[in-house]
Amino acid sequence: MSSSSATRRVTDTRRSREISIADIARVAGVSHTTVSRALRDSPLISEETRKRIQQLALEMGYTPNAIAQSLQTRRTSTIGLVVTSIADPFLSEVVRGVEEVARSAGLSVFLSATHNDPAQEIAVIETFHRRRVDGILVASSRITGEYKQRLDQIRVPTVLINSQAESQYELLHWVAVDDVAGARLAVEHLLTLGHRAIGYLGTNSRPRSCRQRREGYQAALASAGLVPREEWVIVMAAEEASPQEDVLCGRRALQRLLDAGVTAVFCQNDMMAVGILMACYRRGLAVPAELSVVGFDDIEMASYISPPLTTVRQPRIELGRLAMQVLLDLLQDQEGCNHVLSPMLVVRESTAQPSTSRPATRR
Amino acid sequence: MSSSSATRRVTDTRRSREISIADIARVAGVSHTTVSRALRDSPLISEETRKRIQQLALEMGYTPNAIAQSLQTRRTSTIGLVVTSIADPFLSEVVRGVEEVARSAGLSVFLSATHNDPAQEIAVIETFHRRRVDGILVASSRITGEYKQRLDQIRVPTVLINSQAESQYELLHWVAVDDVAGARLAVEHLLTLGHRAIGYLGTNSRPRSCRQRREGYQAALASAGLVPREEWVIVMAAEEASPQEDVLCGRRALQRLLDAGVTAVFCQNDMMAVGILMACYRRGLAVPAELSVVGFDDIEMASYISPPLTTVRQPRIELGRLAMQVLLDLLQDQEGCNHVLSPMLVVRESTAQPSTSRPATRR
DNA sequence: ACTGCTAATGCACACGTGTGCAAAGATCAA
DNA sequence: TTGATCTTTGCACACGTGTGCATTAGCAGT
């Protein structure tokens, strides 16, 4: 009994029951109904009692119980945000944009990571569904066909951000950046500088963006009447989709690229470009004098490294904001429409005219 | 009427009521009590009906309503995480550690940002309280005395991570890195290399860590019988506590440091060090040959820039994991204890012996 | 004085789940 | 056969809030 009472005491101390509208009602000598209405500024309540009760609530330190409200209204004012990795510099800006818009709309956001594992992705979504979130955002989703049925059951308004899944479902909405166009911008920039032997470095950890950026790369070369040689295109195998892994891929790939004889390389993302730059620093290869490097994403780091990286900017915060905005529309029963954002080339100092090849054609 | 019915239809389509244990009970021909117990593997239920009901729940695609459960059990299995900025590379690792441990303990985490504004910090905490989170984590808190009363009312188990507030409350628990010791490590490293004119560069946007790291800096110099000249110590004024702002501070400070005649500089954080490195790159100053630079935090970027940055590592993920662990203890009515983690020096390539000063004393 | 109307309030139920207690049925011992 | 014990189930209430409907009071009009 002593242990039981001790436990009780601790519990009571810590969880000293929150005061409810019933408590306020008791003190004010009215029904809980009246309190509920008064706090919600219902026109049914007289000016006088409303003021009195609101004042009382303040004095008693009342905080509405959002759980009870949610149960009643069947709305949680809550959304779930699923990302592959929280520490990814690309995603954290997206998260920031999402949180910003969500917060100003009075929504709270659950955050969870999946480590690029489709099974975990579904698990997280199911957890969010259990919590009855009003909507779900998924960044870099890898949901494949086998989960379609489960998603159909859940049926929560969902918006994908830069989905990596190859197939689309009419149920899901999405927001994405035009990978093909972005890649074209990057490669056209290198072509303009005079490069002809241009490599592509990608990773299979984000299959869709890898494929599309490669398509853009090839299209740009084709427009210039060039066909990339097989050894110019390198797609590294990586199980994780982490920044560390990407850098490592970049570092490992430099030798192969040099062997292939390229004078410039377009990387699937900035972290891979960083890996290339590190490898160049190690072996004393001057960038951009001896090798031009272009990235993709324009993460913060891109402008802080030496030399500052020429890259293709994805409007990361905008991507998050927009996705959240689309979700907000869906939550208000409006028709959500999908968006393709245009990326933009940011020329910094990791690209220049080729020196080892013959001089570029001047016009 | 037509518009009303249309609205109704849309609503019904989208929010086709989730099935509840009552629905299962109806189909199974038992009471909802039995279903509830069967799903929770209560020993009160016979093996046979339990199996039958669990199977039925599966077939009917039942997902427990966590909101209703929370209302009943007075536990949400939810925590709130408050950060100053989501995109901060230091914090995102902390968030990662928190989420990792929380998730494996079956807790979901709300994330919200305050932009280093104490008022918003309180607002976020109140929102979390409304949602009846079981606990709260605050990174780089700036809660000042004026909010103490409000916090007393709320009384949710709270753990601070690297709090920036100068005063402590016995109510709150905390986890932090030993700033003084970290700074000593950095400066002693520079002293060992032979530097004597060592600068300190800080920012007032994180007042407590600025003060403590400066103390460590001065203590280390004092141990070597040195007293820093006034112009060696620069504390930049910044309203925002953002990575961008820190870099800018670093870039702006270089000239003043050079004017002060230092051969090495210890920066309050890595981003400021990055700013210094950028400024050096711009003016063609060789690092570490002409100036040694040490940072603090060891964010990912530190190892990726050129030259790789010598810095003091804060165990960022550990910080997040540990804070969450302490909170878990508190949630189980165990006594939570505070922790001071020891930082660690990571020597890379931004530090070397001074060349412009007289040779260091060899032993 | 009676009717009709408006304003203000409370009753009772709903949201979906968990649990103490009673009750019914089953089993067993005497 | 009876009483006792155990197993299994359901009733009824609780958690805290929102809302349709009934009720009461007040007031004006006839």
Side-chain angles (χ1 to χ4, degrees):
Chain A
M1 177 189 136
S2 72
S3 98
S4 153
S5 81
T7 304
R8 173 64 58 85
R9 189 166 48 71
V10 169
T11 308
D12 284 0
T13 309
R14 199 160 61 74
R15 297 226 179 286
S16 54
R17 238 180 80 265
E18 301 278 343
I19 72 144
S20 67
I21 57 172
D23 297 325
I24 300 179
R26 210 167 300 124
V27 175
V30 297
S31 72
H32 83 273
T33 307
T34 301
V35 177
S36 171
R37 292 205 175 103
L39 294 179
R40 301 173 65 75
D41 286 327
S42 161
L44 287 178
I45 301 299
S46 72
E47 181 71 12
E48 183 218 333
T49 45
R50 200 183 62 192
K51 292 253 170 162
R52 186 167 59 97
I53 289 178
Q54 290 185 348
Q55 177 62 28
L56 195 55
L58 204 62
E59 287 168 6
M60 296 176 66
Y62 169 72
T63 307
N65 185 326
I67 296 296
Q69 289 177 327
S70 297
L71 184 59
Q72 168 64 234
T73 63
R74 295 152 140 225
R75 269 228 161 198
T76 55
S77 295
T78 279
I79 65 140
L81 174 52
V82 188
V83 298
T84 52
S85 162
I86 295 172
D88 189 307
F90 174 81
L91 290 175
S92 43
E93 284 286 332
V94 175
V95 175
R96 190 176 155 194
V98 168
E99 196 266 349
E100 190 181 301
V101 175
R103 200 156 112 76
S104 73
L107 304 181
S108 294
V109 5
F110 280 118
L111 180 67
S112 204
T114 66
H115 308 291
N116 218 30
D117 175 4
Q120 279 197 51
E121 186 173 334
I122 291 293
V124 167
I125 290 177
E126 298 217 334
T127 299
F128 286 165
H129 176 50
R130 254 193 328 115
R131 301 204 179 278
R132 295 297 188 267
V133 295
D134 293 336
I136 294 181
L137 292 174
V138 187
S140 307
S141 171
R142 300 197 65 179
I143 310 176
T144 54
E146 54 179 318
Y147 297 111
K148 184 169 162 34
Q149 193 186 356
R150 192 78 196 91
L151 278 185
D152 279 1
Q153 275 188 350
I154 292 182
R155 198 178 284 271
V156 175
T158 302
V159 178
L160 306 181
I161 303 171
N162 276 7
S163 168
Q164 292 300 315
E166 294 287 0
S167 53
Q168 288 185 14
Y169 306 131
E170 56 295 338
L171 266 159
L172 304 177
H173 292 77
W174 51 264
V175 167
V177 161
D178 190 335
D179 282 318
V180 179
R184 290 193 70 129
L185 286 176
V187 176
E188 280 161 8
H189 166 64
L190 292 172
L191 288 168
T192 303
L193 284 172
H195 293 275
R196 288 297 173 268
I198 300 172
Y200 172 77
L201 175 59
T203 165
N204 68 353
S205 65
R206 297 174 195 80
R208 187 157 184 271
S209 70
C210 180
R211 183 174 57 75
Q212 300 220 0
R213 289 171 198 178
R214 195 165 111 193
E215 275 178 21
Y217 156 83
Q218 276 164 329
L221 289 184
S223 298
L226 298 172
V227 177
R229 295 168 58 170
E230 198 176 319
E231 62 267 31
W232 291 356
V233 176
I234 302 181
V235 175
M236 304 290 283
E239 39 236 75
E240 267 190 88
S242 69
Q244 292 82 354
E245 187 85 5
D246 287 343
V247 170
L248 216 58
C249 287
R251 296 182 67 161
R252 289 200 183 121
L254 178 62
Q255 187 60 54
R256 283 176 60 189
L257 284 166
L258 295 179
D259 290 347
V262 303
T263 63
V265 56
F266 164 54
C267 304
Q268 189 188 333
N269 62 52
D270 286 348
M271 292 312 281
M272 303 192 81
V274 166
I276 294 280
L277 290 185
M278 286 184 72
C280 289
Y281 181 80
R282 283 274 165 270
R283 66 152 62 199
L285 196 71
V287 174
E290 300 178 73
L291 181 73
S292 284
V293 180
V294 182
F296 204 111
D297 288 352
D298 193 25
I299 59 178
E300 287 297 321
M301 200 188 306
S303 59
Y304 296 148
I305 55 180
S306 314
L309 186 69
T310 293
T311 188
V312 178
R313 171 177 301 165
Q314 294 203 55
R316 294 166 296 152
I317 307 189
E318 266 314 318
L319 214 48
R321 286 196 192 122
L322 189 60
M324 188 62 228
Q325 196 58 57
V326 171
L327 187 54
L328 281 177
D329 290 347
L330 291 175
L331 294 186
Q332 292 168 4
D333 287 326
Q334 292 174 27
E335 207 166 321
C337 66
N338 301 329
H339 292 267
V340 177
L341 296 185
S342 295
M344 176 185 149
L345 181 70
V346 180
V347 178
R348 296 209 181 87
E349 300 167 36
S350 66
T351 49
Q353 295 182 357
S355 59
T356 55
S357 70
R358 64 183 192 284
T361 324
R362 303 278 168 121
R363 37 174 167 175
Chain B
M1 177 190 136
S2 73
S3 98
S4 153
S5 80
T7 304
R8 172 65 59 86
R9 188 167 49 70
V10 169
T11 307
D12 284 0
T13 309
R14 199 162 60 74
R15 297 229 178 284
S16 55
R17 240 182 78 263
E18 301 279 343
I19 73 143
S20 67
I21 56 172
D23 297 325
I24 300 179
R26 208 167 303 123
V27 175
V30 296
S31 72
H32 84 274
T33 307
T34 301
V35 176
S36 172
R37 292 204 174 105
L39 294 180
R40 301 175 63 76
D41 284 328
S42 161
L44 288 179
I45 301 299
S46 72
E47 180 71 13
E48 183 216 333
T49 45
R50 202 184 62 192
K51 293 256 170 162
R52 185 167 60 100
I53 289 178
Q54 291 186 348
Q55 176 61 28
L56 195 55
L58 203 63
E59 286 169 6
M60 296 176 66
Y62 170 71
T63 308
N65 185 326
I67 296 295
Q69 290 176 328
S70 296
L71 185 59
Q72 168 64 232
T73 63
R74 296 153 136 220
R75 270 227 160 199
T76 55
S77 296
T78 278
I79 66 142
L81 175 51
V82 188
V83 298
T84 53
S85 162
I86 294 172
D88 188 307
F90 174 81
L91 290 176
S92 43
E93 284 286 331
V94 174
V95 175
R96 189 176 156 193
V98 168
E99 195 266 350
E100 188 181 302
V101 175
R103 199 156 112 77
S104 72
L107 303 182
S108 293
V109 5
F110 280 119
L111 180 67
S112 205
T114 67
H115 308 292
N116 218 31
D117 175 2
Q120 279 198 50
E121 186 173 334
I122 292 293
V124 168
I125 290 177
E126 299 218 335
T127 298
F128 286 166
H129 177 50
R130 255 192 329 115
R131 300 203 178 278
R132 296 295 188 268
V133 295
D134 292 337
I136 294 181
L137 292 174
V138 188
S140 309
S141 172
R142 300 198 66 180
I143 310 178
T144 54
E146 54 178 322
Y147 296 111
K148 184 170 162 31
Q149 193 186 357
R150 193 77 196 94
L151 278 186
D152 279 3
Q153 274 187 351
I154 292 183
R155 196 180 282 275
V156 176
T158 301
V159 179
L160 306 181
I161 303 170
N162 278 6
S163 171
Q164 291 300 314
E166 294 286 0
S167 54
Q168 288 185 14
Y169 307 128
E170 56 294 340
L171 266 160
L172 305 177
H173 293 77
W174 51 264
V175 167
V177 161
D178 190 336
D179 282 319
V180 179
R184 290 193 69 130
L185 286 176
V187 177
E188 281 162 6
H189 166 64
L190 292 172
L191 288 168
T192 303
L193 285 172
H195 293 276
R196 288 297 172 266
I198 301 173
Y200 172 78
L201 175 60
T203 166
N204 68 353
S205 66
R206 296 174 195 82
R208 186 157 185 270
S209 71
C210 181
R211 184 175 56 74
Q212 300 221 2
R213 288 171 198 179
R214 196 166 107 192
E215 275 179 21
Y217 157 82
Q218 276 163 330
L221 289 184
S223 299
L226 298 172
V227 176
R229 296 169 59 170
E230 199 176 318
E231 63 267 31
W232 290 356
V233 175
I234 301 180
V235 175
M236 303 291 283
E239 37 235 76
E240 267 191 87
S242 69
Q244 292 83 352
E245 188 86 5
D246 287 344
V247 170
L248 216 58
C249 287
R251 296 183 65 161
R252 290 201 183 119
L254 178 63
Q255 188 59 56
R256 285 176 58 188
L257 285 166
L258 295 179
D259 290 346
V262 303
T263 62
V265 55
F266 164 55
C267 304
Q268 188 188 333
N269 62 52
D270 286 348
M271 291 313 279
M272 303 190 81
V274 166
I276 294 280
L277 291 185
M278 285 183 73
C280 290
Y281 180 79
R282 281 277 164 268
R283 64 152 63 200
L285 196 71
V287 174
E290 299 178 73
L291 180 73
S292 284
V293 180
V294 182
F296 204 110
D297 288 352
D298 194 26
I299 57 178
E300 287 297 322
M301 200 189 306
S303 58
Y304 296 147
I305 56 180
S306 315
L309 186 68
T310 294
T311 189
V312 178
R313 170 177 302 167
Q314 293 203 56
R316 295 166 295 154
I317 306 189
E318 266 313 319
L319 214 49
R321 286 197 191 121
L322 189 60
M324 189 61 228
Q325 196 58 58
V326 171
L327 187 55
L328 281 178
D329 290 347
L330 291 175
L331 294 186
Q332 293 169 2
D333 287 325
Q334 294 174 27
E335 208 165 321
C337 66
N338 300 328
H339 292 266
V340 176
L341 296 185
S342 295
M344 176 184 148
L345 182 71
V346 180
V347 179
R348 296 208 179 89
E349 299 168 36
S350 66
T351 49
Q353 296 182 355
S355 60
T356 56
S357 67
R358 63 184 192 285
T361 324
R362 303 279 169 119
R363 34 176 169 175

